[in-house]
Structures are given as C-alpha cells and as structure tokens.
Amino acid sequence: MLHAVPSSPTEVPQAPARIVTGFYLRYLRAAKGILLDDAAAAARVSTSAVSRWERAESPIPPDALRTLLQRYGVARMHTEFLVRHMPPQRYGRGKCAQQGLACRAPHDYWADVADDESAARYIAVMRQASEVIQFCMGVPAGLRTPAYQKLMLDPDVCVAPDEPVLGLPSWVHEVPWAAGQQRTVLLDETLLTRGGSQSAVVAGQLRHLAGLVSREDPGGRDLVVRILPLSPVLFVHTVGSVTEVTVHGRRMVASVGLFPSYETGSRVARLVSAGLREAVEAACTREETREGLVCAAEAMERRAAS
C-alpha cells in the first residue's frame, strides 16, 4: 500500500460548521430572491457584515443567525441545530489543543445530521465549490444518465440522496452547478464490472462517461474523469468514497453516508487531501480511461442481451 503523507497546513483552517453555514446563508438567500441589502436590514448590520458571514470571513452572532434563518423561512428546529453547532464567537483554532491520533481541534469535524436540510446543504456545496476532487465507488451526481440517476435515487439503492428529489427543501433546486468549476472525478475500477440485473442501464452510463472523457478540455480544465485502478492499493481505497471541496478559497474534506460530514485542519483531513492527490497521480490516463469505459460498456451490453 502507498501511504499518503499529509502536508503542513498552508492556510488557517476554518471550522467546517462555520463554512457550510455561511455557504448555506448565501445560497438560501439567493434561492429565496432576497437581496443582500434586505438581509442586512433584517439583521440590523451592514451589507459587508452579511457578506463576510456568508464567506465565513467573520463569525456570525447567534441572534443574527437566528434572524436571517427565520427571514429565509428555515424551521426553528433546523435553525437551533445550526446555532448550537457554531463555534464560539472568539473561537480560534490556533488557541486550541489538538487531541488524539486524528490531531483534531474541537471544531475541526462537523456531522451535519439535520435530515433533508443537511442533504440540501451538501448538494449546494458540491454544486458551487470552485474545485472538487472526489473518489467515488459509483457515478456521482452531475455525471449521470437519466436512467442511472433514477437507479441511484431509488431509496432501496441509496439511502441519502445527493441530488434534489421530491421532499428535499425547495431552495436547493435553484442552486446551479458553478460555471468554471474544476472537478476531478476518480472512479473506482470495480465500477467497470458492477452491473448485475441493471447491466443495460450501467452500460449506457459507461458510454456516457466515455463521451465525457472524449470531450475533455486538453488543458485539464473544468471536468476530468479517470478510472482509479485497484492496484496498487492506495490510501483512498481504505476510506471509500470521499471528496475534497474548495469553498471561498477554503478546503474541506467531505463525505456522505447516512448524513454528510465535513472536516478541516486535522491530521485526518490533511491525510485524505494528500491521499486524493496521490490517487490523481496513480489514475489511468485519459485514453486508458476512455478505452476501459467503452470495453466495459460492451461487456455489459453483451451480458444484458444474453
């Protein structure tokens, strides 16, 4: 196994609860059609103060957070959840002891367990992050065919939706994919052989991915899709599907299972970040990826026809 070596922090880590909540305020406000001036008037502060809160450049007072979330129509239960999980106003990571083998400060890790609102926040972060690097066991949101999308959002297949579905908060349907997002998707090699009773659907999905690879920008901008071989065994193979997102210039490690979670600053976050970059270097080339996807699609089609 190759071992990812965590690099020293190049930025002052911000608490993920503060980053995601600021992001939530920004896109919830936009989806509701509320102007920055109106939000500032409701909170009785300047527009620059609200803007700094949305970018997690300064801590938001609990009363102001309650006021804005109420103005945006967020239920009291979800409002109080966020207020409780905000770091203290004077919180500074550098002043706190890092504990355990994970070397975590008190607010380095945040589990967003607020049901549908947490799923919506995760979707918004993934769509609007300026940079995304993700290792996936299945085809991620934004790259799916309609048939594969239907399969992945079936509650019997996927417990936690990573795309808007009926029942999720309406505001998230208004959040678009960011223009110019740099997204690198590393697909586990086992995806090429997992079809089962849905071989025809998976074959169509694999051909769609091959088309995306063929149309990639030669300079590696925007979207890059690669297959990650099982050999050699890498650090990311031991942690499963995981993502690093850059939001307002701040990097966070994110994962989603029964609920989304985010981490910054800790040794774990730096290990995952290094592991993802190690995986990018070990991934198949563009041509190897395209050829592997086409060959796997052909095998799936033969299986479906038999």
Side-chain angles (χ1 to χ4, degrees), residues 172-258:
V172 74
H173 294 261
E174 304 299 322
V175 179
W177 287 93
Q181 182 186 79
Q182 174 61 59
R183 186 181 186 190
T184 301
V185 178
L186 304 173
L187 298 171
D188 188 79
E189 189 177 29
T190 60
L191 180 69
L192 302 179
T193 57
R194 286 188 276 113
S197 62
Q198 302 293 331
S199 293
V201 171
V202 176
Q205 176 64 68
L206 294 176
R207 287 197 177 277
H208 175 66
L209 290 171
L212 293 177
V213 174
S214 297
R215 296 191 295 274
E216 280 179 11
D217 185 294
R221 294 182 293 272
D222 300 328
L223 174 67
V224 173
V225 178
R226 295 291 183 267
I227 297 297
L228 185 63
L230 287 172
S231 180
V233 177
L234 303 178
F235 177 78
V236 294
H237 287 128
T238 69
V239 296
S241 297
V242 68
T243 301
E244 182 187 81
V245 295
T246 302
V247 176
H248 298 313
R250 296 181 175 89
R251 293 188 296 179
M252 292 190 297
V253 168
S255 61
V256 61
L258 293 177

Side-chain angles (χ1 to χ4, degrees), residues 74-255:
V74 176
R76 180 178 178 181
M77 174 179 65
H78 294 300
T79 295
E80 292 305 316
F81 171 80
L82 291 177
V83 171
R84 286 197 308 272
H85 286 83
M86 284 295 98
Q89 285 283 282
R90 297 184 180 276
Y91 173 77
R93 187 181 186 278
K95 302 175 184 178
C96 300
Q98 300 178 29
Q99 300 179 348
L101 294 176
C103 295
R104 284 182 177 134
H107 295 278
D108 282 350
Y109 174 82
W110 183 47
D112 191 359
V113 296
D115 301 322
D116 289 345
E117 287 292 333
S118 65
R121 283 191 282 269
Y122 177 81
I123 291 167
V125 167
M126 290 297 295
R127 287 184 170 192
Q128 280 291 312
S130 59
E131 184 177 1
V132 177
I133 303 175
Q134 56 189 145
F135 169 61
C136 306
M137 303 301 292
V139 181
L143 307 185
R144 300 169 183 161
T145 63
Y148 191 89
Q149 174 84 341
K150 182 178 180 180
L151 177 66
M152 288 301 293
L153 296 184
D154 183 337
D156 292 333
V157 176
C158 181
V159 176
D162 57 3
E163 277 284 87
V165 293
L166 187 65
L168 284 182
S170 60
W171 68 269
V172 74
H173 294 261
E174 304 299 322
V175 179
W177 287 93
Q181 182 186 79
Q182 174 61 59
R183 186 181 186 190
T184 301
V185 178
L186 304 173
L187 298 171
D188 188 79
E189 189 177 29
T190 60
L191 180 69
L192 302 179
T193 57
R194 286 188 276 113
S197 62
Q198 302 293 331
S199 293
V201 171
V202 176
Q205 176 64 68
L206 294 176
R207 287 197 177 277
H208 175 66
L209 290 171
L212 293 177
V213 174
S214 297
R215 296 191 295 274
E216 280 179 11
D217 185 294
R221 294 182 293 272
D222 300 328
L223 174 67
V224 173
V225 178
R226 295 291 183 267
I227 297 297
L228 185 63
L230 287 172
S231 180
V233 177
L234 303 178
F235 177 78
V236 294
H237 287 128
T238 69
V239 296
S241 297
V242 68
T243 301
E244 182 187 81
V245 295
T246 302
V247 176
H248 298 313
R250 296 181 175 89
R251 293 188 296 179
M252 292 190 297
V253 168
S255 61

